[in-house]
Amino acid sequence: MTASSETRAPAAPAAPPVPADPAERGGVRHGVGTDAPRPDGVLKVTGEFAYSSDLWADDMLWGATLRSPHPHARIRGIDLTEAVRLPGVYAVLTHEDVPGAKYYGLERADQPVLADGKVRYQGEPVAIVAADHPETARRAMMRIAVDYEVLEPVSDARRAAFDPACPPVHGPAAPPEPGGAARPANVVRYQPVRTGAFAAGAGLDEVRAQADVIVTGEYQVGMQDQAFLGPESGLAVPAADGGVDLYVATQWLHVDQSQLAPCLGLPPEKVRLNLAGVGGAFGAREDLSMQAHACLLALRTGRPVKMVYHREESFFGHVHRHPATMRYEHGARADGTLVFATMEIVLDGGAYASTTSAVVGVASSMAVGPYEVPNVRVDAYGVYTNNPPCGAMRGFGAVQACFGYESQMDRLAEALGMHPVELRIRNAMSEGSRTATGQPVDMPLPMADMLARARALPPPAEPETGPGTDPRRLPGGVAGTTRGEGVVRGVGYGVGIKNICYSESFDDYSTARVRLELVGGEPAVQVHTAAAEVGQGLVTVQQQVARTELGVERVVVRPADTAVGSSGSSSASRQSYMTGGAVKAACEAVREAVFRLARERGLPPGADDALELRGGAVVTRLGAVVAELAELLADTAVEETRVFRHRPTRPMDPLTGQGDAHVQFAMCVHRAVVDVDTELGLVRVVELAAVQDVGRALNPLQLAGQIHGGSAQGLGLALMEEVQVRDAAVRNPSFTDYLIPTILDMPPMRVEILEHPDPHAPYGLRGAGEPPTLSSTPAIIAAIRAATGRPLAHAPVRPEDIVGLPVP
Amino acid sequence: MRVSFEVNGRPVRADDVWAGESLLYVLRERLGLPGSKNACEQGECGSCTVYLDGETVCACLVAAGQAEGRSVRTVEGLADGEALDPVQSAFVDAGAVQCGFCTPGLLVQTHDLLRRTVGAGGQPPGDDEVREALAGNLCRCTGYEQILAAVRLAAERAGGAA
Ligand code: FES
Ligand code: FES
C-alpha cells in the first residue's frame, strides 16, 4: 500500500528502480524503503493494545497526587490525620517518606520527589495517596491539610535573566565559567556565540556600518503543551526480591531507571522498567512524572499501584515548551546578502532545570538558522522562574529560534523589496557551508532546491466567497461568521534547521540484541531493545532493518524493557538513526556468525568468500545456495548484541559557542496559504505544503505521517496553542481552553520528500520528526502577515493581533 | 449500585458501582474492556466514543446508571471475530494509526458516518463532511491527513461491499 498520490512526490535524485511489488525490495518483503505495516496496527484498531492507563492487576490500589495550588509557597506543616483515617486508604506519603535521594532531574537533581518544605510551581506534588478506588483517593487528598505560607513568585523570565536583585528560585548563583562573567542566580545556562567581527571584538556599530539595510524585531513564542492524548500513567508492582517492576509510558526507560533507583533507595537492578503502550510523547515523557510516586506507594503498601493523571493534572504533570522572548537584528547589503545578525534569546525554564541547558544549546547554535552570515552574535539564556517547568518538546529550542529568524527574513525581504524565497535562497546554507558554531556541513543540504520546489508548487484553488459559500471553506468555519466579506488570502514560507541526535559531546548510543533461530522449522528473528515506541513507528523500522539485513521476513520486536542495554531517548529525531543503527549492527554480527557456521560446514567447491543472506538461505553473490537456514540453525540459535554510537560531537565553547556540537542537520520548508477574516481576526489555513529532505525514506507512509503530524503541531503553535500563565499560575489546563488543531482546523498537506543520503548515517537516513514542527509555524504566520500587513510578533497569533486590538 | 446492560451483543453486569462512575469507567475498569480510551474525561477529545443504543456518545459523559438496560457497542465489538471491519483495516492500511490513542474513538465515529452514508445506500462522504463528522475527535499525532485517507479508503471498501 502507498500513501495517497497527493502526499507522495517522486524522490530526487533518482531512486533505485522500484520492483513490481512495492512491498518487496532486495529480495525480502517489507524491508527498508517499503510501506511495511506497523506490527501493532491491528492491536490498536481492535482495542487490544495495552496502554499504560489500561493496565490492571488483581488487588491493585489507585495512586493519586496532591499538588500545590500556589506557584511559590513555604510549607509550614502537613497534617495527614484525617486522610489516613478514611476507610479504603492504604498509604499517605510525603517528602519524609522518600527512602533514598530526595531529589532527581535529567540534567540537575534539583526537583524534589515530593515537596521539601517549599513549593516552586503551581501543581508541584506535595503528597501521594494509595486507596482502593480513585474516588477514595481523591477524598483522602481533600482531607490532607497543608499549611502554606504563600510567597511572591518570580514570574518574569527577563528579570530572572538580567536582574541581579531578583530573588533566587533555588540557591545562590553558581561560580562563573573560567573567563566568564558572573550571572544572576536564576540563569541555568547562558550560551553566547560569536563569529566574524564579533569574535574579533568589534562593536555593533562597526558591524552595522557594513550593512545597507537593517531590520530589528522582538518576538515571543508562547508556552506550548505537547498535549499527547494518552495521559501519564503506569502500574508499579512490588516484587518478592524487595524491588519493583514498573510498567510505564516513557521515552527512555534507562534514564527513568537511573533517576528512580536512588530515590527508592534500591540498586538499579531491583528497579525494572517495562514499556507499556505509549499514547504519544513529543518530549513530555522525557522527565519523570508518576514513576517515583507509584513505586513508593507500591513498595510501602506491598500492593500493585496504578496511577493515571486526568487531563487537567496532565497539564501540571509534565514540562512544556519553553516560552521565549527574542530580540533579533539583521543587516544585509542592498542585494540581499546578509552581513550580520545579532540575537538575544531568553527561554523560561520554570521552576526546575529539566533539559533547559540542552535547549539553550540548541537555541543558541541554531539561532541564526540555515543561513550563511559572516558576523554573528548570539546570547541565549535559560532561566529559573516560578512558572511551570519547561523542557523537551518536539523541536527543542530550534522551534523558538526559527520563529525569530524566519520572521526576520520576511521583514528583511520586505525592506529590500525582494521575494522572501529569493532572499532565503541568496543566503542559503549548503553542503560545505559552516554553521555559526564553526561546524562544517559535511552532508547534503539542498535548501535552495527545496525552497524553489516549495515556491513552484501549484497554488490551491482561489477562495470561494459570497452567498451560498460552504462555511467550512471560510475562516470561522461552521460557526458561519462570514460569507467571505473581509476575507483576504496570503501566502508565506518558512524554513527550519534542526540538529538530529544528542549533541555537545553527549555519549549517545543505542543497544540492540538480535536473535535468529528456527520457529516451527522456519527462520525467524527476534529484536530486543529498550527503545520506546511512542507512536512514531520505531517498531516497524526495527522490523524493516532486520528483514533487509537478514533476508528473513518473520521478525518479532520484543517488548522494550531494561533487561537489555539502553537505547537512549525517543527524542531529537534520533531513533531511526540510533536504534535503527544498533539493530543494523546487531544484524550484521548475526549475519557474520551465520556465515561462520556455513563455512564450518564447508563451502561448495567454487564458492568464493562473499556470502549473502537471502530468502532464508546463505547464498553466494551469484545466488547459488550454500546452506538453507532451516538446516544450518537446526539445533542452534544465533544471538548478538551490539552498541551503536554516532560520531562524536564536541562541546560548545562557553565564550564563543564554537565547536562541532552536532551530528546531523535536517531541514524542512513549508509553504502556507491562508484566508484571513480581517474583521474578526479569524484564520483558515487553506493549504500547508512541505518539502523535506530525509536522506533516505525507510518507510514512506510512516514518514509522511511524521511530517503531517509535525506540521500540525506547528500549525497549533501558529494559531491557537498557548498555556496561559499569569502570575505564575496556569489559567487554561483543559482541552476546552487549551486548543489543539481538530480535523476541521487542518488543511490538506502536500508533502514532497527528497532523498539525498547523509554519508555518515545508517542507510543515509536523516532524522525526520522534528523539522516540520519548526517551519510550519513561521510559514503560517508569514502568510497571515502577507494577508493583513500586521507585524505579528507573537506565536500563537491571536485574533486581537490580526484586527489590531490590545491583547488582554 | 448494580448496573446491567448489553455490551457488544452480550449481557453484562457490574456490582458495587459508585454513583459517580461513568460508563467509560465501568467499561474500562470493571468489565475488562479498556479499548475505549480516556484522554480527558470531560467530553473534549472523543477518545471514548462508543455507540449507546446505536448513537455515538462520549462514554465519559454518560453516568454508568444511564446505561442500565441499554445496548453499548465499543471498539472491541467492531470486528466480526477475526475479520476486521473495513474501517479498522483502512486505518491500518492508510497509516492513520500512530500512537493509536485516538483510534478507538475515531473508528467508532467513522463507522457511524459510513453506516449513515454508504451503508444506507448513499454517496461516500466528501472530505468536508468527513471533517465535520470527526471534528470532535482529537488526534495529536497524524495531523489527520492519513485519517482522511483512511476514511476515503474505508468508504470505498464499504461501498464495494454494499
Ligand atoms: S475521554 Fe471522553 S471525550 Fe475525552
Ligand atoms: S494517533 Fe496518536 S493521538 Fe491519534
Coordinates of all heavy atoms in Angstrom, one line a residue, chain A residues 153-169 173 183-189 325 346-350 381-387:
Chain A
P153 N 5.8 34.9 43.6 CA 6.6 34.1 42.7 C 7.5 35.0 41.8 O 7.2 36.2 41.5 CB 5.4 33.5 41.8 CG 4.3 34.5 41.9 CD 4.4 35.2 43.3
V154 N 8.5 34.4 41.3 CA 9.3 35.0 40.2 C 8.7 34.6 38.9 O 8.6 33.4 38.6 CB 10.8 34.5 40.3 CG1 11.6 35.1 39.1 CG2 11.4 34.9 41.6
S155 N 8.1 35.5 38.2 CA 7.3 35.1 37.0 C 7.8 35.8 35.7 O 7.3 35.5 34.7 CB 5.8 35.5 37.2 OG 5.7 36.9 37.5
D156 N 8.8 36.7 35.8 CA 9.3 37.4 34.7 C 10.6 36.8 34.3 O 11.6 37.0 35.0 CB 9.3 38.9 35.0 CG 9.9 39.7 33.8 OD1 10.4 39.1 32.8 OD2 9.8 40.9 33.9
A157 N 10.7 36.1 33.1 CA 11.9 35.5 32.8 C 13.0 36.5 32.4 O 14.2 36.2 32.7 CB 11.7 34.6 31.5
R158 N 12.7 37.6 31.9 CA 13.7 38.6 31.6 C 14.4 39.1 32.9 O 15.6 39.3 33.0 CB 13.2 39.7 30.7 CG 12.7 39.2 29.4 CD 12.6 40.4 28.4 NE 13.8 41.0 28.0 CZ 14.6 40.5 27.0 NH1 14.2 39.5 26.3 NH2 15.7 41.1 26.7
R159 N 13.5 39.3 33.9 CA 14.0 39.8 35.1 C 15.0 38.7 35.7 O 16.0 39.0 36.2 CB 12.9 40.1 36.1 CG 13.3 40.6 37.4 CD 12.2 41.1 38.3 NE 12.8 41.5 39.5 CZ 12.4 41.1 40.7 NH1 11.3 40.3 40.8 NH2 13.0 41.4 41.8
A160 N 14.5 37.4 35.6 CA 15.3 36.3 36.1 C 16.7 36.3 35.4 O 17.7 36.0 36.0 CB 14.6 35.0 36.0
A161 N 16.7 36.7 34.2 CA 17.9 36.6 33.4 C 18.9 37.7 33.7 O 20.1 37.5 33.7 CB 17.6 36.6 31.9
F162 N 18.3 38.9 33.9 CA 19.2 40.1 33.9 C 19.3 40.9 35.2 O 20.2 41.7 35.4 CB 18.8 41.0 32.8 CG 18.8 40.4 31.4 CD1 17.6 40.3 30.7 CD2 20.0 39.9 30.9 CE1 17.6 39.6 29.5 CE2 20.0 39.3 29.7 CZ 18.8 39.1 29.0
D163 N 18.3 40.6 36.1 CA 18.3 41.5 37.3 C 19.0 40.7 38.5 O 18.5 39.8 39.0 CB 16.8 41.8 37.7 CG 16.7 42.6 39.0 OD1 17.8 43.0 39.5 OD2 15.6 42.9 39.4
P164 N 20.2 41.2 38.9 CA 20.9 40.5 40.0 C 20.1 40.6 41.3 O 20.4 39.8 42.2 CB 22.2 41.3 40.1 CG 22.3 42.2 38.9 CD 20.9 42.4 38.4
A165 N 19.1 41.5 41.4 CA 18.4 41.6 42.6 C 17.2 40.7 42.7 O 16.5 40.6 43.7 CB 17.9 43.1 42.8
C166 N 16.9 40.0 41.6 CA 15.8 39.0 41.5 C 16.0 37.9 42.5 O 17.1 37.3 42.5 CB 15.7 38.5 40.1 SG 14.3 37.4 39.9
P167 N 15.1 37.6 43.4 CA 15.3 36.5 44.3 C 15.6 35.2 43.7 O 14.9 34.9 42.7 CB 14.0 36.4 45.1 CG 13.1 37.6 44.7 CD 13.7 38.2 43.4
P168 N 16.5 34.4 44.2 CA 16.8 33.1 43.5 C 15.7 32.1 43.8 O 15.2 32.0 44.9 CB 18.1 32.7 44.2 CG 18.3 33.5 45.4 CD 17.4 34.7 45.3
V169 N 15.3 31.4 42.7 CA 14.3 30.3 42.8 C 14.9 29.1 43.6 O 14.2 28.5 44.3 CB 13.8 30.0 41.5 CG1 12.8 28.8 41.5 CG2 13.0 31.1 40.8
A173 N 23.9 31.8 43.0 CA 24.5 31.6 41.7 C 25.6 30.7 41.8 O 26.4 30.6 42.8 CB 24.9 33.0 41.1
R183 N 26.8 35.6 36.7 CA 25.4 35.7 36.2 C 24.4 35.7 37.3 O 24.7 35.1 38.4 CB 25.1 34.5 35.3 CG 25.9 34.4 34.0 CD 25.4 35.3 32.9 NE 26.5 35.6 32.0 CZ 26.6 36.7 31.3 NH1 25.6 37.6 31.3 NH2 27.6 36.9 30.5
P184 N 23.3 36.3 37.1 CA 22.3 36.2 38.2 C 22.0 34.7 38.6 O 22.1 33.8 37.7 CB 21.0 36.9 37.6 CG 21.6 37.8 36.6 CD 22.8 37.1 36.0
A185 N 21.6 34.5 39.8 CA 21.4 33.1 40.3 C 20.4 32.3 39.5 O 20.5 31.1 39.5 CB 20.9 33.2 41.8
N186 N 19.4 33.0 38.9 CA 18.4 32.2 38.2 C 18.8 31.8 36.8 O 18.0 31.1 36.1 CB 17.1 33.0 38.2 CG 16.5 33.1 39.6 OD1 16.5 32.1 40.3 ND2 16.0 34.2 39.9
V187 N 20.0 32.1 36.3 CA 20.4 31.7 35.0 C 20.9 30.3 35.1 O 21.9 29.9 35.7 CB 21.5 32.6 34.4 CG1 22.0 32.1 33.1 CG2 21.0 34.0 34.3
V188 N 20.2 29.4 34.4 CA 20.5 27.9 34.4 C 21.7 27.7 33.4 O 22.6 27.0 33.7 CB 19.3 27.1 34.0 CG1 19.7 25.6 33.9 CG2 18.2 27.2 35.0
R189 N 21.6 28.4 32.3 CA 22.7 28.4 31.3 C 22.6 29.6 30.5 O 21.6 30.1 30.0 CB 22.6 27.2 30.4 CG 23.7 27.1 29.3 CD 23.7 25.9 28.5 NE 24.8 25.9 27.5 CZ 24.9 25.0 26.5 NH1 24.1 23.9 26.5 NH2 25.9 25.0 25.7
T325 N 11.3 35.0 24.7 CA 11.3 36.3 24.2 C 12.6 36.5 23.5 O 13.7 36.1 24.0 CB 11.2 37.4 25.3 OG1 12.2 37.2 26.3 CG2 9.8 37.2 26.0
V346 N 15.8 34.6 25.3 CA 15.6 34.3 26.8 C 14.5 33.2 26.8 O 13.4 33.4 26.4 CB 15.1 35.5 27.6 CG1 14.8 35.1 29.0 CG2 16.2 36.6 27.5
L347 N 14.9 32.0 27.4 CA 14.0 30.9 27.5 C 13.6 30.7 28.9 O 14.5 30.6 29.8 CB 14.7 29.6 26.9 CG 15.1 29.7 25.4 CD1 16.3 28.8 25.1 CD2 13.9 29.4 24.6
D348 N 12.3 30.6 29.2 CA 11.8 30.5 30.6 C 11.7 29.0 30.9 O 10.9 28.3 30.4 CB 10.4 31.1 30.7 CG 9.9 31.2 32.1 OD1 10.5 30.5 33.0 OD2 8.9 31.8 32.3
G349 N 12.7 28.6 31.8 CA 12.7 27.2 32.1 C 11.8 26.8 33.3 O 11.6 25.6 33.6
G350 N 11.2 27.8 33.9 CA 10.3 27.5 35.0 C 11.1 27.0 36.2 O 12.2 27.3 36.4
Y381 N 19.8 32.6 26.9 CA 19.7 32.4 28.3 C 18.6 31.4 28.6 O 17.5 31.5 28.1 CB 19.4 33.7 29.0 CG 20.3 34.8 28.8 CD1 20.3 35.6 27.6 CD2 21.3 35.1 29.7 CE1 21.1 36.6 27.4 CE2 22.2 36.1 29.5 CZ 22.1 36.9 28.3 OH 23.0 37.9 28.1
G382 N 18.8 30.5 29.5 CA 17.7 29.7 30.1 C 17.6 29.9 31.6 O 18.7 29.9 32.2
V383 N 16.5 30.2 32.1 CA 16.4 30.7 33.4 C 15.4 29.9 34.3 O 14.4 29.3 33.8 CB 16.0 32.2 33.5 CG1 17.1 33.0 32.8 CG2 14.6 32.4 32.9
Y384 N 15.6 30.0 35.6 CA 14.6 29.5 36.6 C 13.6 30.7 36.8 O 14.0 31.8 37.0 CB 15.3 29.3 37.9 CG 16.1 28.0 38.1 CD1 17.3 28.0 38.6 CD2 15.5 26.7 37.8 CE1 18.0 26.8 38.9 CE2 16.2 25.6 38.0 CZ 17.5 25.6 38.6 OH 18.2 24.4 38.8
T385 N 12.4 30.3 36.9 CA 11.3 31.2 37.5 C 10.4 30.3 38.3 O 10.6 29.1 38.4 CB 10.5 31.8 36.4 OG1 9.8 30.8 35.6 CG2 11.4 32.7 35.4
N386 N 9.3 30.8 38.8 CA 8.3 30.0 39.4 C 7.2 29.7 38.5 O 6.1 29.2 38.9 CB 7.7 30.7 40.7 CG 8.7 30.8 41.8 OD1 9.2 31.9 42.1 ND2 9.1 29.6 42.3
N387 N 7.4 29.8 37.2 CA 6.4 29.4 36.2 C 6.5 27.9 36.0 O 7.4 27.2 36.5 CB 6.7 30.1 34.9 CG 6.4 31.6 35.0 OD1 5.5 32.0 35.6 ND2 7.2 32.4 34.3

